[in-house]
Amino acid sequence: MIELNVDLSYLSRYYELSTQRINQYSAEDPEKMITIETMAGAVTLDREELRALMNHPSKVAKILQLQKPKNRYLIIKNLNAEDLAKILPYLSSEQLAWGLQYFTSEKLETLINHLPKEQVATLVFQHFGMMDILNLMDEDKMDNFLKSENLEKKDVMKYFEQLDVKQFERIMMQQFGSSMEGKGKDHYLTMIDSMSPDKFIQFLTKFERKDKMQLIAGLVEINPDYILEFENEDISKPFMLMDKEKIMKTMPVLDPEFLVPMIEQLPPDLIQVVATQIDPQIFAELIVEEFPDLIMEMLTM
C-alpha cells in the first residue's frame, strides 16, 4: 500500500465508478489498468485516464489531499536534490526564515556575514543605529573609513555645516588650542576646507572617539552607501549579540533570493521539512509541470 492518503472517494465520483464501469475495466488489458491501494481501500482505473487527470492541478490537489502537510512531505522526500531545489523559490521569506532554526548560532552568523553588505545592513538597522555599530568597532577601523578614497570631502563639509556651533568649537579647540575659541562656524569651515589632503585626514582621525563616531554616523546618514566601506563582521556585530530567537524573527525582512542559498546548506532531510511548507495549490501546479511521472510511480508502487 502506498503511504499517500489518496482521496479514493473523489476518484470514484470523478470516474463515476459504477459496477458496470468496473466490469468494463475488467475486460481491458491489465497492462492498461492501475490499481491504487491505500489504507482506506483500493480502486482500479485506466492508467491513461489517470495520467490525463494528473494534468489538472486542482484535481491533483484534491486527489493527493495536498492540504495535508504529511502528504506533501511524503512526495517531497522522494525528490532528488535538483528537484528539491525547484521548490524552495516558491516559499515565502517567512517560510524560508523558519528553516534557519536548524542552524547553530555560529553557522547562522557565518551565513549572515556572507550576505551582500546591503542585506546585512538591512538586518542590523531593524534593531540598531549606526552609533550602536560604531560603539563595538575598533577605532583603527573607523580611521580606515575616514582615510578611504571613497569618502568625499564635500560630504564631510556638509556634516560640519550642520554641526552645532558649540560642539564644533570644542572639536577645534581640542585640536588647535584655545585660539579657536569664539572664532565662529564660518572661520572653522574655511580653515578645514583649506587643509591639504594629508592634514585633512590627520584632522579627522585625531577626533576623540565619541566625536569620531558621531562624524561617521552623520556621514552615513548623508550618504547611506558609506556603510559599504565597513566589513560585514563589523556591521553585524550588535545584531549577532542578540538572542537567536530575535535574530530569527528579523530574517524574513530578507528577500527569498537571499534566504534560499542559506536553506540549501541544510542536510537534505531538513530541506525536505522546510519545503513541505509550500502552498498546496502551488505544489499541485509544480507536480503537474515538473513531477507527473514521480506521482504516477508512487501511485503504482
Side-chain angles (χ1 to χ4, degrees):
M1 294 183 183
I2 66 174
E3 296 180 87
L4 285 174
N5 188 7
V6 178
D7 191 338
L8 294 183
S9 63
Y10 177 80
L11 274 175
S12 297
R13 290 196 303 273
Y14 182 82
Y15 278 104
E16 299 177 349
L17 293 178
S18 63
T19 302
Q20 181 179 0
R21 182 115 184 228
I22 293 173
N23 289 337
Q24 173 190 333
Y25 280 156
S26 65
E28 296 283 348
D29 183 351
E31 292 298 320
K32 295 182 180 180
M33 309 310 296
I34 174 175
T35 298
I36 301 175
E37 297 185 11
T38 73
M39 297 294 292
V43 63
T44 299
L45 306 168
D46 180 274
R47 185 183 297 272
E48 291 307 313
E49 285 188 8
L50 179 60
R51 186 178 291 278
L53 180 61
M54 298 303 289
N55 288 328
H56 301 279
S58 60
K59 296 180 174 63
V60 169
K62 179 67 176 176
I63 295 168
L64 301 180
Q65 298 190 58
L66 295 181
Q67 77 278 10
K68 297 182 178 182
K70 179 182 178 182
N71 270 16
R72 298 198 299 274
Y73 173 72
L74 290 173
I75 295 171
I76 287 171
K77 77 172 188 176
N78 285 280
L79 301 179
N80 58 37
E82 181 180 349
D83 287 338
L84 192 57
K86 296 175 182 177
I87 293 179
L88 295 181
Y90 290 93
L91 300 183
S92 68
S93 292
E94 289 76 12
Q95 291 168 330
L96 291 164
W98 175 84
L100 299 177
Q101 66 181 302
Y102 295 116
F103 290 114
T104 64
S105 296
E106 292 75 14
K107 178 61 175 178
L108 190 57
E109 180 175 0
T110 299
L111 292 171
I112 288 172
N113 285 331
H114 278 84
L115 287 168
K117 288 181 183 178
E118 298 93 331
Q119 301 304 314
V120 177
T122 295
L123 289 172
V124 176
F125 287 143
Q126 299 298 310
H127 299 277
F128 301 99
M130 194 63 203
M131 289 294 285
D132 299 306
I133 295 172
L134 295 168
N135 192 50
L136 298 174
M137 189 178 294
D138 294 338
E139 195 156 351
D140 62 334
K141 294 183 178 180
M142 288 191 272
D143 288 345
N144 288 337
F145 169 83
L146 295 171
K147 296 174 184 177
S148 171
E149 294 180 355
N150 295 320
L151 180 61
E152 297 193 32
K153 188 173 183 178
K154 66 179 180 61
D155 290 332
V156 180
M157 297 307 297
K158 188 181 296 185
Y159 170 79
F160 286 133
E161 286 167 6
Q162 53 83 43
L163 201 61
D164 176 81
V165 65
K166 289 296 184 182
Q167 184 181 357
F168 205 170
E169 180 182 77
R170 178 179 55 78
I171 290 171
M172 297 300 286
M173 289 179 65
Q174 283 172 350
Q175 296 216 33
F176 303 107
S178 58
S179 63
M180 291 292 105
E181 186 174 6
K183 292 291 186 179
K185 183 178 287 189
D186 288 343
H187 178 81
Y188 302 148
L189 289 171
T190 300
M191 182 178 173
I192 295 170
D193 197 34
S194 64
M195 290 178 179
S196 67
D198 289 344
K199 291 290 185 182
F200 181 70
I201 291 175
Q202 185 181 26
F203 168 66
L204 298 181
T205 55
K206 284 178 66 178
F207 273 34
E208 292 186 352
R209 180 176 177 86
K210 184 177 180 181
D211 292 326
K212 191 178 295 185
M213 290 167 56
Q214 290 175 340
L215 167 62
I216 295 173
L219 290 170
V220 172
E221 185 175 351
I222 290 169
N223 182 357
D225 286 346
Y226 283 143
I227 191 67
L228 305 180
E229 294 296 308
F230 298 103
E231 297 297 327
N232 281 359
E233 290 78 5
D234 295 316
I235 299 171
S236 69
K237 191 170 291 185
F239 184 73
M240 297 313 307
L241 291 176
M242 294 196 307
D243 293 337
K244 183 178 177 181
E245 182 179 354
K246 289 184 178 180
I247 293 173
M248 293 288 299
K249 288 181 178 179
T250 309
M251 296 304 287
V253 303
L254 298 177
D255 290 334
E257 66 177 294
F258 301 109
L259 292 166
V260 167
M262 294 183 177
I263 296 301
E264 288 178 335
Q265 295 195 40
L266 287 170
D269 58 332
L270 292 179
I271 297 178
Q272 292 164 3
V273 173
V274 176
T276 298
Q277 298 176 94
I278 189 170
D279 177 85
Q281 186 58 39
I282 293 176
F283 191 38
E285 293 169 3
L286 268 177
I287 287 173
V288 167
E289 183 177 346
E290 301 284 352
F291 317 125
D293 291 339
L294 171 64
I295 300 305
M296 288 296 293
E297 182 180 338
M298 291 184 70
L299 291 173
T300 56
M301 287 174 64

